[in-house]
Amino acid sequence: MAATLRLRRLLVFDPLTPCTRRPPRPARPRPPGLGAAAQCRPGAGQPQENFIPLRRTKGESWAPAEACAVPFLPPNASCRVPTLTPHDILYVGQIQRKHQASKTGGAALDFTGQLARFFLDHPEEAFGAMGRLLQENFYLGEARLRSKARENAISVKTLVQELGRRAGRRHCPQLQPSPRLRRFSCLSRDWLFEVPLGLLAECIHEDLALQWAKLLFDDAPTGGALAWLPTNDVAPAPRGCLVYPGGEAMNLLCFQEVALEQVAGALQPRAHGRPAQFELSGRVRQVAAAQVAGEALVGVRSDHHCGAWRLQTGTAPVPLQVIRTDAPASCLTVSPHLPGELSVCTLSGAVYLWNVETGLQRLRQDPETAFFREASPWRWSEFTSHPRVLSCADRTGLQCLDVRAPASRPFDLFKVGGEAECQRGERVMLPMYLGRAHPCQHLVATQFSVYVLDERFPRVPMLRWEHMLEAPPICAHLTPGRSQETSHKVLLGAHRTQELLLLQYTGGSHSACQLAGPPRRLHPISQGLQHLPPQATPWQGLLHQRLAAPAAGVTAAPAGQGPLEPLLVFQLSEAGDLFYQTLLHEPPAESESSAAPTSPASLPVPAAAGQPSPAWGASLGSGSEESGRLPGTVSEGTADAGQAAAPEEARPSGGLAAAARYGCWLKALLRDWSRLPEQSQPQAPHTISHQRLFTRGELSQPAGDSPLYRQARQLLCRAMRERACLAPWALGLPPTPLAMPHPMEPWAWPDDLSKRLTASWAGGWGEWWEEKLGVTRTHKLHALRDRRRRLKQARSRRSLFGSFTSSVTYQSDLSDFSACSQPPSEPPGRAEELQPPAPVCRQDLSPPRAGRGHRPPAPGQVWPASPLASSSQRSEQAAWGSQDTEDSSQLLSSQTLSSRGIPKERRKTLRDYLAIFTQPCPEPPAELPASQTSSLGSQRWGASSQSQRSTGSQPPRKRPRMGF
Amino acid sequence: MDSFVEQLKRGTEEEFTEESAWDGSAVNTTSSSLPAIYLPLLPRYLRHPTTRGRKATEFQETKKACLNYIQDALLQHQWQRAAEFMTNYLETLENTSAEKRMAAPEVIWRIGTEILCHHSKSTIEEFNYFAERMKNLGVKRYLKVCLEHVFYLLCNGLIDEAYQNLSLAEGWRYGEQTTAQDKELKLIQAYKGLLDYYNWAKKRKAMLELDGNFADSVEQEMHSFFRQAAVNLKEIIKIPGVWDPFVKCYVDLLEFYEDYEEVRQVLSEYAYNSKFPPNPNAHVYYYQFLKRQGESKKTLMSVLKILHEIVPSHELMLEYNALLQKSKKRKNHRLGLEIIFTLLDFAGWKEHVKAWSCLAKQIKQILENSGKHLDWITEEWNSRKDWWPAFHFSHYLAKRNWQENESLACEKALVAGILLGKDCKYFKYVSHQGCKAKKEKFQTMKKFVKKHSSAHLRASGVLDSCTHL
């Protein structure tokens, strides 16, 4: 069944495609993004040979203008709770026994560490009752107990002392528990704890497992918590409203007015006025928005509450209604058709239509998934092209539900399975209605692929594309193309990895869907780290933590009405920071520039320590001069990280402004941190007193007279005061010229290795090698043998050719091959006449196989393990001549067969089969298998002599290997 | 299906025991209470020290890093850089992990194709050479690579080479591998049939242009192409699936030789066989064929009726409506009204002038016909009165429609006026604007609405909802 299912969608047409034009359609799904381009379909009602690929190679080319995402607003000052990292809950170190790994897939959870912390931090809760009970009986004093008191009390002095000694060394792996402590813990384990230890540990472990699962994948932020609502007035600059959560717990809903302005040739968003803020009682998980009939409706989802706001141009946002759900809500979408309508899903499997005027209408309550059993309670719903029909999704697929008759049978829009060519384990991660691109289109993202569906053609996706994201995408944004020629742009964002991918596709109404160009990765927020100056260690750690916080939302704002206007992409991190990057359309460049990687201008180092720190707003204008003075770029950082060490073209204005913005953001961030209460400040690393390093005499020594010393001292003092890094360039020291080594005289080193190194240093290694090969005959002979050995190995792999009974390639390869297989006993004098072996690139493509576990045989040595290789050692005559029975019996011996990895049960079949070929064959053409003869008719034969030989009078020696 | 997780779990366990190195590439977060999502790749930030399995060797680590760089370069469109990394990545064919070694040819094929497709300096010869090499790198995906290669050639206009490749691939035999790749083989045959069809069409054109002398020999060739194409195309159409271009070609072939019975059979099978996925195009083809054949209206309507059930928003519904209106039965008129109402439910038809004028015309007819069938309108309207006013007849839309498309606004205003009464915002706005512009038709429209809306519809309860606006 699966096979037929899969075959189904080889060619699909857009249903509404006018019959006069037949755009192409995929034949089969593409491999992950890396796939061959085609999948074509014929053009035309009129038969004309016009094939259009499913994936167009050339599309609009969009590239980010900056080297990294640039901060848009000042950092979220109140965010001080770092996000959970694997290090917080994973046990790092050796575990003695084999642990149970089923729940966490191999990860060991550090629940004992959590327990220990709990006992230390909350002793009252952990041991309170028993402690009070035992208070009289435990004597903590130093003095000895007198006989009277000894009746009811014991001294625990030594125990306490021992505990105190160990307190500082708790993490020492070599620490052995003392017998006394061990005895005490054995004794008290059952009664000392307020909550029985086993139970507590179990609960903590369970919770940690939950946290770990959330670290792997968290579906709560699905949909993204960032929305852009453009306003209609375009002059002087396009404006809009950005809706995002902020605050300490991301519970502050902000509506920020933003204008997209051209500043010094680069597009920049600028905040106007203060944002309108609403404090909510829960963390904002999702912000959904849609504009209907001139007004915008914003839906906000937190775990147990959903709210709706109305936004009209020029007025403050108005809260409309709030609903509370018993089970956590998993989805909230706003209707693009009717004002004031939303749909809500909860984790209990309920789907509601929510009208802000009439209230909730429950459409479905079904804890079961739609198509097959799946544990995840996640549900999603979107609107469709019919305002009264909702699509309901779970992890297994999408169904369409009629609001007017919710009890009627829903129809299936998408199903994870064979028809859509899904992979094993594939699950729906995010559905989205693409109504702004085409009224009938939907997007479905899974861990592996994205699909574009058409409601009119259910179950068979119009497009399929493997997105290659590391983590499943959880938010998406569509920027519809303005005309038929421009593509629809879909941004896919992942949660924890911050990945952002731009996909483009065209078609829908007048032509079939077609992917336009390869996908493009946009900068994740954390990429900014590479471009920032180094900070003092604790700050650097915090900065890393802050920038690497999971992404919480993505949206995009086109900068104008034109089709190729720049696109501003906004990103929100879970720490509440907003970043943006500008996407510019690159005119199709000719040959050279597209080959050379064009990477955006690198970001100059933003304001280093010691620069006067301007206010955030004021810095925007003056940013360019200020950072223009700063030395150095940080491109080394990227090169070292293996990133594109690409030639960089200067785009001064944009890059510098971005650098200035980043500098201000960083300053504001550091300032905010230093204002935090002590305990939430980053822990300073352990320091040692300088008195340990220097003697008093050394310290009191007068500094050198030179002004450099004084300057250095001042800088050092200031750096210490500001707790900043002392960067070498702050000293303004001229880089000390490195002493050049004495020029080398290469001829002083006559040995081979030195010559080779010299040659390769000069770049002429290849010529040197060839020259070297030509120097002595023995060397040449060695080289030849070497080459021959490689060819032989290649030949053993080329046994595949045996299968191509009627292939031209086969013939030509054979001719290549036979030319190369000269016997090693060839007189050296004839070596020059040898045909050149396979071209170099061919060897590049399939490097010689270094046999697993076998040492490559020495030149000229017979490879004993492989009868095929050994037979190829024979002279060409023997190789192509009649096969003697001895050889074939060797081929058929079970040892040989087993050494070639042929299973026992197949050996006999093989032997029978091969036995045919040991008999003389009088008329070879008559023996050709039917398939071969049939295809011979339509065959154009290539080089005649070789093919004649192998198909004609020669016994088909290669053929025995058929079927391996 | 529900045992996926179990299977995956087992798969992971096996991975441990195998000689392959555990690299944390597949982790399932299974637990009875937890959502179990299979993650294809464990994100890099989650690579954690594990106490089980073997540590990856340096070779594995390097190759993995290399693959990451290639991916990075591909996603940033740095084809040259990707190609340079690729030359190093080829070593993975010798991977020490059996599992990875098996997967290597496919990875290399895919990445290589991608790079060659986009690299500015790649040529078709290079692509061909690469494809030939890839075909022999592993027989398990021989036909897949062939097919992909053929697609590439076709898209670059190299029809003859493509045909040659298809012929070669068609004759490929490799024991069990051939049967395992059965579906690819079927596709290859089908595409060959398609190219045969094109050759046939060329010959047909040539034959029609030539007359007399050479026509015989050309006709002979044409017939041989016909036979080859027909066999292959017929074969693929039998398999459940979506085969629109193949069906079109096959129908064209058969129609030329006037084998109408076969065409009818093929098309009705393609449209109505429940094993095939629901395909609106199949119904369209069948309908068009019947229309060409000059079938009776009844037959045509029955085809369109089924299409209406599958895709009520299909473009042909207007045609269906016209057919229904022309018929003499009252039942059909009723159905026509329903169809046009349903059509306008969909967002894609919101601003379709023709559909609105159809509706306006039909409502007018009913009203002028002394309102005998007013209950039809009432019935349709009752299920829509709570959302059509906001969906179609809001003040905002009135303004926008008037600005963008006056005739649309006019048709809609008429409908709004009749359904919602003369006080509804849409009608008021448009008629006001129309009168200001001194257009004759608005006066008549206004009169018409005034005459009908108050008298008939209010009585029948249609206008209950106009208070909403």
Side-chain angles (χ1 to χ4, degrees), chain A residues 4 6-8 10-15 19 22 27-28 30-40 42-43 47-49 51 53 55 57 86 90 99 101-103 106-107 210 212-213 215-216 293-294 337-338 372-374 385-388 395 416 424-425 427 429 439 447-448 456-457 459 468 470 472 496-497 501 518-521 591-592 594-595 597 641-644 800-801 803-804 806-807 809 842 844-850 852 931 939-940 964, chain B residues 1-2 4 7-8 19 27 29-31 34-46 48 50-52 69 71-72 74-81 90 93-94 101 110-111 113-114 117-118 120-121 129 132-133 136 142 144 147-148 151-152 154-155 159 164 167-168 171-174 183 187 191 194-195 197-198 201-202 204 239-246 248 275 277-281 285 288 311 313-315 345-348 387 390-391 396:
Chain A
T4 52
R6 259 167 201 242
L7 263 178
R8 284 185 183 182
L10 299 190
L11 292 145
V12 188
F13 274 165
D14 186 7
C19 295
R22 260 320 117 79
R28 296 155 347 171
R30 221 55 335 255
L34 318 170
Q39 300 266 307
C40 39
Q48 53 177 349
E49 294 159 9
F51 289 87
R55 267 190 63 202
T57 329
L90 281 186
H99 66 279
S102 63
K103 277 195 181 182
L210 201 76
W212 172 247
L215 268 183
L216 288 170
H337 307 300
L338 296 173
F372 51 87
R373 203 154 57 80
E374 162 68 52
S385 67
H386 194 298
R388 296 287 96 186
R395 293 277 180 230
V416 170
R424 215 178 71 153
R427 294 289 182 272
M429 289 289 143
Q447 310 99 302
F448 304 103
R456 299 163 298 181
F457 214 135
R459 306 219 297 261
M468 295 192 290
E470 258 185 66
R496 211 161 275 273
T497 51
L501 199 69
R520 171 130 214 158
R521 179 149 71 198
S591 58
E592 278 310 303
S594 58
Q643 299 292 328
L800 296 179
F801 283 121
S803 61
F804 307 110
S806 63
S807 136
T809 342
R842 180 170 297 198
D844 280 350
L845 283 169
S846 59
R849 174 169 296 207
R852 275 196 300 155
S931 62
Q939 191 68 253
R940 279 192 225 158
F964 274 31
Chain B
M1 275 288 206
D2 51 359
F4 261 166
Q7 283 175 14
L8 288 167
E19 64 151 358
V27 159
T29 65
T30 55
S31 161
L34 302 180
I37 299 302
Y38 169 63
L39 297 172
L41 281 169
L42 190 66
R44 260 171 255 178
Y45 72 93
L46 277 182
H48 52 87
T50 175
T51 48
R52 294 181 67 182
Y69 286 144
Q71 190 191 356
D72 188 67
L74 288 180
L75 287 176
Q76 296 186 43
H77 302 188
Q78 298 167 350
W79 310 113
Q80 176 59 35
R81 185 169 155 243
L90 290 175
L93 283 172
E94 306 285 329
R101 199 169 49 242
R110 288 178 176 190
I111 301 177
T113 318
E114 181 78 8
C117 277
H118 291 100
S120 59
K121 282 181 187 155
Y129 181 70
E132 291 302 334
R133 298 292 308 194
N136 301 330
Y142 178 81
K144 215 168 164 184
L147 202 55
E148 210 61 61
F151 289 155
Y152 179 83
L154 287 178
C155 289
I159 309 292
Q164 201 180 329
S167 316
L168 283 179
W172 183 72
R173 292 291 178 272
Y174 202 93
K183 57 177 185 174
L187 265 183
Y191 273 99
L194 196 69
L195 293 187
Y197 163 77
Y198 284 138
K202 261 189 230 160
R204 180 181 62 177
I239 306 167
V242 181
W243 310 111
D244 294 356
F246 299 141
K248 293 269 302 177
K275 279 183 191 159
N279 181 349
N281 292 340
Y285 297 150
Q288 283 165 343
V311 186
S313 63
H314 200 279
E315 273 173 351
D345 281 349
F346 287 89
W387 59 280
F391 186 55
Y396 174 83

Side-chain angles (χ1 to χ4, degrees), chain A residues 125-189:
Chain A
E125 281 78 16
F127 313 105
M130 200 47 84
R132 274 190 299 277
L133 275 179
L134 292 176
Q135 204 169 12
E136 296 166 3
N137 309 84
F138 275 33
Y139 177 67
L140 296 163
E142 286 285 326
R144 289 182 71 89
L145 279 173
R146 274 172 297 158
S147 58
K148 188 83 182 222
R150 266 170 108 163
E151 283 176 13
N152 282 327
I154 53 162
S155 169
V156 287
K157 184 181 71 183
T158 43
L159 210 59
V160 171
Q161 276 171 355
E162 207 159 313
L163 277 175
R165 269 203 305 279
R166 303 166 70 88
R169 291 178 280 158
R170 222 174 320 128
H171 298 295
C172 175
Q174 298 299 322
L175 201 63
Q176 294 294 325
S178 81
R180 189 190 295 269
L181 280 177
R182 198 208 297 259
R183 275 201 300 274
F184 179 73
S185 79
C186 283
L187 192 68
S188 63
R189 178 175 291 164

Side-chain angles (χ1 to χ4, degrees), chain A residues 350-389:
Chain A
V351 180
Y352 297 92
L353 182 71
W354 174 22
N355 191 313
V356 289
E357 276 160 17
T358 59
L360 286 173
Q361 179 192 356
R362 189 165 75 190
L363 305 179
R364 178 192 249 190
Q365 170 90 54
D366 187 7
E368 295 292 310
T369 44
F371 298 106
F372 51 87
R373 203 154 57 80
E374 162 68 52
S376 169
W378 176 86
R379 297 288 183 278
W380 194 266
S381 87
E382 286 272 345
F383 288 84
T384 66
S385 67
H386 194 298
R388 296 287 96 186
V389 176

Side-chain angles (χ1 to χ4, degrees), chain A residues 26-263:
Chain A
R28 296 155 347 171
R30 221 55 335 255
L34 318 170
Q39 300 266 307
C40 39
R41 58 146 92 162
Q46 289 309 310
Q48 53 177 349
E49 294 159 9
N50 179 20
F51 289 87
I52 311 163
L54 167 71
R55 267 190 63 202
R56 225 180 330 141
T57 329
K58 298 274 178 278
E60 289 167 32
S61 170
W62 291 81
E66 293 96 9
C68 63
V70 184
F72 167 47
L73 293 178
N76 181 12
S78 45
C79 169
R80 63 185 77 161
V81 185
T83 48
L84 189 74
T85 61
H87 290 287
D88 297 335
I89 58 171
L90 281 186
Y91 182 81
V92 181
Q94 293 292 316
I95 291 180
Q96 299 297 326
R97 66 206 156 80
K98 207 172 164 189
H99 66 279
Q100 184 79 33
S102 63
K103 277 195 181 182
T104 53
L109 296 172
D110 187 18
F111 72 99
T112 51
Q114 299 287 336
L115 269 178
R117 266 169 214 212
F118 172 66
F119 293 149
L120 285 176
D121 294 346
H122 305 278
E124 188 58 33
E125 281 78 16
F127 313 105
M130 200 47 84
R132 274 190 299 277
L133 275 179
L134 292 176
Q135 204 169 12
E136 296 166 3
N137 309 84
F138 275 33
Y139 177 67
L140 296 163
E142 286 285 326
R144 289 182 71 89
L145 279 173
R146 274 172 297 158
S147 58
K148 188 83 182 222
R150 266 170 108 163
E151 283 176 13
N152 282 327
I154 53 162
S155 169
V156 287
K157 184 181 71 183
T158 43
L159 210 59
V160 171
Q161 276 171 355
E162 207 159 313
L163 277 175
R165 269 203 305 279
R166 303 166 70 88
R169 291 178 280 158
R170 222 174 320 128
H171 298 295
C172 175
Q174 298 299 322
L175 201 63
Q176 294 294 325
S178 81
R180 189 190 295 269
L181 280 177
R182 198 208 297 259
R183 275 201 300 274
F184 179 73
S185 79
C186 283
L187 192 68
S188 63
R189 178 175 291 164
D190 293 336
W191 48 263
L192 184 63
F193 303 93
E194 203 86 324
V195 183
L197 186 60
L199 190 65
L200 187 65
E202 210 165 278
C203 290
I204 288 186
H205 191 268
E206 201 169 292
D207 186 61
L208 282 185
L210 201 76
Q211 298 285 348
W212 172 247
K214 275 197 174 174
L215 268 183
L216 288 170
F217 178 69
D218 189 6
D219 55 20
T222 308
L226 185 63
W228 169 258
L229 295 162
T231 41
N232 290 329
D233 52 331
V234 183
R239 280 166 167 263
C241 182
L242 204 59
V243 190
Y244 59 93
E248 194 168 352
M250 299 286 271
N251 61 339
L252 205 61
L253 185 69
C254 307
F255 294 82
Q256 173 72 60
E257 191 117 330
V258 178
L260 311 178
E261 292 170 2
Q262 294 280 344
V263 180

Side-chain angles (χ1 to χ4, degrees), chain B residues 156-168:
Chain B
N156 283 287
L158 301 167
I159 309 292
D160 290 340
E161 283 87 340
Y163 190 83
Q164 201 180 329
N165 268 296
L166 283 172
S167 316
L168 283 179

